[in-house]
Amino acid sequence: MVDIKKITAKNMTDKEFFFGHKACAGCGGSLAVRLAMKVFGEKTFAALPAGCMSAVGFIFPQMAFLNNAIISTFPGTGSMLSGMRAGLDALGFHDTHVVGFAGDGGTADIGLQALSGAIDRRDRIIYICYDNEAYMNTGVQKSGLTPYGTKTTTSPAGKNLSGAVTHKKNLFEIIAAHDIAYAATASVGYPQDYLNKLSKAARVKGTSYIHIYATCPTGWGISTETSVSLAKEAVDCGLWYLAEYENSTFKINRKLTKPELLKEHLLKQGRFKHLKDEDIKVIESERDRKWAQMMEKWG
Amino acid sequence: MKTQMSKQKVFISGDEAVALGVRLARPHVISAYPITPQTIVVERLSEMVEDGSLKARYIHVESEHSAMSAAMGASAVGARAFTATSSQGLLYMAEGMHYASGGRMPIVMMNANRSLALPWSIFGDHRDSLSMLDSGWIQVYVEDAQEALDMTIQAFRIAEDAAVLTPFMINLDGFILTHTYEIVDIPDQSKVDSFLPVFKTPNKMSLEKPKSMGFSTSPADNMEFKYQQHKAMLDAKDIIHSVDNKFGEIFGRSYGGMLDSYYCEDADYVLVTAGSVTGTARIAVDNLRSRGIKAGLIKLRYLRPFPDEELRAAAGDVKAIGVLDKDISFGYEGTIFTNVNSALAHLSIRHVSINFIAGLGGRDISIKDIEGIYQDLEEAVTVGKDKSFAKVRYVNMGVEIDG
Amino acid sequence: MLKPEIKNYVTPKHIRDYPTGPSFEAGHLVSINAGWRTFKPVVDINVCTGCYQCYLLCSDGAISKTDNKKIEFDYSFCKGCGVCAHECSFNAISMVKEELAK
Ligand SMILES: Cc1ncc(C[n+]2csc(CCOP(=O)(O)OP(=O)(O)O)c2C)c(N)n1
Ligand code: SF4
Ligand code: SF4
Ligand code: SF4
């Protein structure tokens, strides 16, 4: 085993590759992109589908990426990455990273087919899904990764329904089921864990996938300064989890530490303010079911 | 390939001719998804990649949308990319087609012209490619397997020209061309290499000069990019001519550039066609000429850019003009007819013009059908003054229709 | 180049002045983000330990490390989100109302 130096806040490059963008203040997605680029470096070719990160980074003539980057079609990130990889390899540029940054909608819904194809081909690409749990760029509509009870503009909370009526699609396991070389979940609330996973992804020979929980102050109705702490709390109270899949094996990186925080955590967010106790019970029991299953299978 | 005749002459199908043309053009990346009647192209290309005779990366994409998306990814890093599709697959690429042309990515695609569902039909007509006429791709329609191979090589040279940088679609009539065997002359690799230079474009990502590509614009800048695209497509006409001439010098075959006319100099009645039906129409014209009827024929090779000036020059003073469309824009007329009339409207002379809708879903178009078309044109000129003739006529309907 | 930079951009006068297609120099900035703030972060360098958590967590990369192992803000690009102040374990950063800060 080569001893690879851990990238930390102290030793990471001073270079900023995603800078001057127009993301909202405290945007978790842009933090996820910024940190990833610091790990991957300048020999990185990025593709971003329609969504917040492409919308805020490529407004002619304001170009926020310092490295090569392109906007892909909304459904076509996985395949565009494959084409870039194939083109770079054919031209002899093997020592490069090809990286996608896509939202939850661009990944779990409309982009799932292209992503599945890329993983299936074992293409050497890195795919990062910044999960802000809704279609934010178009004005906070429900996606396949919007959790139960979330109020969005297409899953309104009213007399009859308390927001979204289904739980989050289990995307991490869907990705892992391809027997992908490396997959991980992360959170902007646990940045060091994310940096470690990015470093791992950068070394993987085949396809790698990181699913990072990325707060969206605008769409979630939270105050901007809590962007990072809420993302941490989501992991602590079990609504999100830190895990890895490698060598065909799942691993939980962090146990459920503060299950009791759940209700308080939810009610801090505008998108969950309407939830009644019975709704919270539904969320709680789904969380417990999920954790019991994960601990049993991967713990 | 199949039956080796001499060193350079082989007996192959249109699909195989395209595959051989692609190999000669040395693309870096091929991404394609199978669909009848395009399949032979991707099968042959896969074999060539497997046996090492084609040094390209073949990406097994999971859909046509991804085929186009992957081709764009390859093009964006400066690689030469090829894809092929047909019909439903072409429509599934629709988003990417506008994207590629807007992104000025000179991808080359072969489209096997096929009807669109519903009803399902694997047989040929032009409704697939004509529905993408506005997607910003150069569109050429070939008449035989030799032209298919030659145009595959020309396509890369035209598309990649710095003044053009526009994607290029080569259309072959499904089955009639894709699956029919003909003797085809295979150009020398070394000659192709000197004809088709290595792909170079400033419009790509690179480590020396990193780029932000596919960006968004505000209303303050968008129209300028659209204008550029239009200008490049218009400028492509000169390049199309010079590339065709250059091809002729090197390989001894050229195709007349934007269109090809047959007996038009003194013609009274001209039929406008695209694609393989031109071969049948040539025979009809020969028959009519032998009977003393001044029939002429115009094969539109390119539909985008549109050969408007060339058309006016070839059919400026005829008595009547017919347009054979393997297409119908429901509620109006055939798309080529609309385009031809618009080009002719620039002339002060008003032609009698009739649209003949034929060959939908693979319906036969016989020599007799085409002779009948010329007869219709003749009659229309006679009754033309009282304008009582139908402007849009269906050819070879199996049943009676009213009106 | 350490980060994308503000360039002197001249609005195109002729179609030739536009890039060929939507493909432009990477890291080409024409505007800053300072106007977004109502509060601005101010660091007390005597309290700052140089742990760089704030630097790590700024979505806008608006914090840089200084030679004396402290931090400084790039007020042209800080949007005033307050994450840095919230996450500093040493309370070295305070958010000050823009008008008062002047
Ligand atoms: C084919 C297609 N359908 C719909 C859209 C409209 N659209 C653009 S961005 C977007 C939402 C993106 O949501 P997500 O992927 O979650 O990313 P986010 O905006 O949250 O960053 C939608 C629906 C599109 N651009 N293309
Ligand atoms: S809407 Fe949300 S995800 Fe989009 S830029 Fe704003 S904070 Fe980021
Ligand atoms: S987080 Fe606080 S202590 Fe750490 S570097 Fe920033 S200001 Fe200094
Ligand atoms: S207030 Fe927000 S944008 Fe400004 S320096 Fe702090 S973290 Fe960065």
Side-chain angles (χ1 to χ4, degrees):
Chain A
M1 257 301 292
V2 259
D3 193 22
I4 292 140
K5 199 166 173 225
K6 220 168 150 174
I7 295 179
T8 65
K10 293 209 164 144
N11 67 15
M12 66 171 38
T13 175
D14 287 340
K15 269 201 167 193
E16 296 294 342
F17 294 92
F18 189 47
F19 183 83
H21 55 74
K22 303 292 179 184
C24 312
C27 169
S30 57
L31 176 57
V33 174
R34 170 180 171 251
L35 292 180
M37 280 310 308
K38 277 176 168 274
V39 174
F40 300 146
E42 54 213 334
K43 288 185 176 179
T44 300
F45 294 73
L48 299 90
C52 274
M53 292 309 110
S54 64
V56 303
F58 295 78
I59 312 162
F60 179 76
Q62 176 98 351
M63 300 298 154
F65 277 97
L66 195 59
N67 55 298
N68 284 293
I70 184 170
I71 305 184
S72 56
T73 60
F74 193 27
T77 308
S79 45
M80 182 165 264
L81 294 170
S82 292
M84 289 160 69
R85 180 77 271 162
L88 288 168
D89 285 345
L91 296 168
F93 298 104
H94 301 287
D95 180 24
T96 49
H97 291 303
V98 170
V99 180
F101 296 105
D104 45 292
T107 304
D109 295 341
I110 199 166
L112 187 56
Q113 175 177 312
L115 173 58
S116 172
I119 302 171
D120 181 46
R121 287 185 295 272
R122 287 9 194 181
D123 290 334
R124 191 165 59 89
I125 60 169
I126 305 166
Y127 191 106
I128 303 206
C129 169
Y130 61 92
D131 182 3
N132 52 31
E133 304 198 314
Y135 294 125
M136 292 310 176
N137 188 47
T138 36
V140 200
Q141 292 87 13
K142 186 208 161 315
S143 83
L145 291 182
T146 300
Y148 181 92
T150 311
K151 185 175 85 179
T152 71
T153 52
T154 53
S155 60
K159 253 198 339 265
N160 301 307
L161 297 173
S162 341
V165 296
T166 51
H167 297 288
K168 262 172 108 73
K169 196 187 274 193
N170 193 353
L171 192 61
F172 174 59
E173 285 177 70
I174 293 171
I175 298 298
H178 291 74
D179 207 7
I180 190 171
Y182 180 67
T185 59
S187 163
V188 293
Y190 282 94
Q192 187 57 52
D193 171 79
Y194 179 46
L195 291 175
N196 299 345
K197 289 169 175 173
L198 289 166
S199 301
K200 248 189 200 176
R203 293 195 301 269
V204 164
K205 288 285 167 275
T207 318
S208 49
Y209 173 86
I210 297 178
H211 191 125
I212 178 156
Y213 190 82
T215 25
C216 166
T218 311
W220 292 12
I222 57 172
S223 53
T224 56
E225 74 272 16
T226 61
S227 191
V228 169
S229 56
L230 261 170
K232 181 174 183 295
E233 209 173 81
V235 174
D236 296 344
C237 75
L239 288 179
W240 189 240
Y241 54 94
L242 304 182
E244 282 175 298
Y245 177 85
E246 156 179 51
N247 304 321
S248 305
T249 314
F250 286 98
K251 186 164 101 198
I252 288 269
N253 303 121
R254 199 181 162 80
K255 293 216 167 78
L256 176 53
T257 52
K258 296 175 185 159
E260 71 285 356
L261 277 185
L262 181 87
K263 182 172 177 182
E264 183 192 330
H265 171 76
L266 289 172
L267 296 180
K268 278 180 194 164
Q269 308 176 43
R271 59 178 180 157
F272 293 125
K273 280 251 152 63
H274 61 280
L275 291 183
K276 301 188 217 56
D277 277 346
E278 66 249 42
D279 301 321
I280 292 174
K281 280 228 172 63
V282 173
I283 295 171
E284 196 172 40
S285 68
E286 170 61 14
R287 176 201 65 188
D288 294 344
R289 187 197 65 78
K290 171 107 189 136
W291 273 90
Q293 202 182 55
M294 285 196 298
M295 293 314 288
E296 189 197 319
K297 287 199 298 191
W298 321 338
Chain B
M1 193 168 275
K2 278 270 156 58
T3 318
Q4 202 77 25
M5 315 232 350
S6 72
K7 193 161 173 261
Q8 278 146 343
K9 293 224 190 286
V10 289
F11 189 58
I12 51 172
S13 67
D15 271 349
E16 287 170 328
V18 170
L20 285 172
V22 170
R23 179 165 70 185
L24 287 164
R26 302 186 192 273
H28 298 105
V29 174
I30 295 163
S31 58
Y33 189 82
I35 178 167
T36 306
Q38 154 265 38
T39 40
I40 300 169
V41 180
V42 296
E43 290 165 9
R44 292 300 165 272
L45 289 172
S46 307
E47 289 163 14
M48 292 168 182
V49 170
E50 190 279 333
D51 70 22
S53 62
L54 170 56
K55 302 253 173 310
R57 318 261 151 172
Y58 188 101
I59 308 180
H60 295 91
V61 283
E62 79 304 322
S63 75
E64 287 88 354
H65 191 285
S66 279
M68 184 52 62
S69 171
M72 291 195 284
S75 191
V77 299
R80 181 174 283 168
F82 176 81
T83 184
T85 190
S86 175
S87 181
Q88 313 296 121
L90 188 74
L91 296 198
Y92 202 38
M93 282 184 181
E95 180 187 29
M97 292 187 61
H98 285 262
Y99 213 90
S101 63
R104 306 298 296 278
M105 298 166 176
I107 297 160
V108 172
M109 153 155 72
M110 175 266 196
N111 179 55
N113 284 117
R114 170 181 149 179
S115 182
L116 297 174
L118 287 170
W120 282 99
S121 165
I122 57 166
F123 299 104
D125 64 37
H126 292 162
R127 295 209 303 116
D128 55 357
S129 54
L130 288 179
S131 72
M132 298 306 298
L133 201 57
D134 292 340
S135 65
W137 283 58
I138 295 172
Q139 286 200 2
V140 74
Y141 291 73
V142 302
E143 188 180 335
D144 55 34
Q146 184 70 61
E147 192 180 358
L149 185 150
D150 292 348
M151 286 316 298
T152 304
I153 297 165
Q154 285 198 24
F156 285 101
R157 170 103 187 235
I158 296 164
E160 292 169 4
D161 189 287
V164 180
L165 285 179
T166 295
F168 195 116
M169 188 201 290
I170 306 152
N171 289 283
L172 274 76
D173 282 300
F175 290 107
I176 300 172
L177 281 184
T178 57
H179 284 60
T180 302
Y181 281 73
E182 295 173 52
I183 295 169
V184 173
D185 185 71
I186 308 299
D188 249 22
Q189 182 70 62
S190 61
K191 283 190 184 169
V192 175
D193 290 345
S194 65
F195 171 79
L196 181 62
V198 173
F199 176 36
K200 284 213 176 72
T201 175
N203 197 24
K204 65 164 187 190
M205 305 189 199
S206 80
L207 292 174
E208 302 76 50
K209 282 189 184 166
K211 283 269 168 70
S212 282
M213 293 185 67
F215 54 66
S216 53
T217 51
S218 75
D221 295 302
N222 191 282
M223 268 181 87
E224 282 68 19
F225 287 99
K226 295 293 117 185
Y227 172 81
Q228 274 187 348
Q229 236 180 300
H230 179 60
K231 178 78 169 37
M233 184 71 102
L234 293 177
D235 291 348
K237 282 191 183 187
D238 281 346
I239 310 295
I240 285 167
H241 279 287
S242 64
V243 167
D244 195 37
N245 289 338
K246 179 93 185 155
F247 192 88
E249 279 167 32
I250 299 181
F251 302 101
R253 286 184 300 275
S254 60
Y255 294 91
M258 298 296 295
L259 55 70
D260 180 26
S261 57
Y262 190 60
Y263 282 113
C264 280
E265 299 74 25
D266 64 339
D268 287 334
Y269 312 104
V270 160
L271 180 64
V272 177
T273 58
S276 63
V277 73
T278 313
T280 316
R282 279 183 213 276
I283 302 170
V285 168
D286 291 345
N287 293 348
L288 294 166
R289 283 274 170 179
S290 73
R291 282 182 245 146
I293 297 161
K294 287 186 171 175
L297 179 65
I298 294 173
K299 171 173 83 162
L300 296 179
R301 299 189 64 242
Y302 285 85
L303 292 183
R304 284 295 178 273
F306 194 73
D308 53 348
E309 284 160 26
E310 294 83 351
L311 188 69
R312 289 195 283 271
D317 40 42
V318 298
K319 289 184 180 158
I321 190 157
V323 176
L324 193 154
D325 258 301
K326 291 187 177 182
D327 166 68
I328 174 74
S329 176
F330 305 111
Y332 197 34
E333 57 191 20
T335 303
I336 302 181
F337 188 58
T338 308
N339 280 265
V340 166
N341 281 335
S342 142
L344 294 178
H346 293 257
L347 294 174
S348 39
I349 322 151
R350 302 260 330 221
H351 291 74
V352 168
S353 65
I354 304 181
N355 194 192
F356 298 92
I357 309 297
L360 296 185
R363 179 67 51 89
D364 251 8
I365 306 171
S366 66
I367 298 167
K368 258 193 117 127
D369 290 332
I370 294 179
E371 289 182 13
I373 286 174
Y374 282 98
Q375 204 174 343
D376 277 18
L377 290 174
E378 223 179 322
E379 281 165 18
V381 170
T382 326
V383 300
K385 296 279 171 286
D386 59 27
K387 296 184 182 100
S388 63
F389 59 87
K391 291 281 269 180
V392 180
R393 303 178 185 191
Y394 275 72
V395 176
N396 199 11
M397 288 292 282
V399 295
E400 298 272 327
I401 49 172
D402 300 326
Chain C
M1 225 195 314
L2 262 188
K3 48 173 95 164
E5 284 171 353
I6 295 285
K7 298 279 163 67
N8 184 20
Y9 178 70
V10 185
T11 316
K13 298 278 180 300
H14 190 276
I15 193 79
R16 276 190 307 268
D17 303 336
Y18 276 100
T20 303
S23 163
F24 204 45
E25 185 186 337
H28 179 285
L29 301 184
V30 296
S31 66
I32 59 170
N33 297 330
W36 295 36
R37 275 193 311 266
T38 23
F39 290 89
K40 81 192 264 185
V42 176
V43 63
D44 182 342
I45 50 162
N46 298 317
V47 181
C48 170
T49 65
C51 72
Y52 299 142
Q53 276 307 295
C54 56
Y55 161 87
L56 183 67
L57 295 171
C58 174
S59 297
D60 289 275
I63 300 174
S64 41
K65 303 171 185 172
T66 58
D67 290 343
N68 58 351
K69 299 215 162 62
K70 310 277 177 178
I71 56 117
E72 66 186 9
F73 298 103
D74 180 344
Y75 289 117
S76 295
F77 287 94
C78 162
K79 291 172 184 160
C81 70
V83 165
C84 51
H86 194 78
E87 297 303 321
C88 174
S89 312
F90 306 92
N91 288 323
I93 301 173
S94 40
M95 300 301 291
V96 183
K97 199 131 199 198
E98 273 292 329
E99 302 88 82
L100 300 178
K102 279 185 193 134

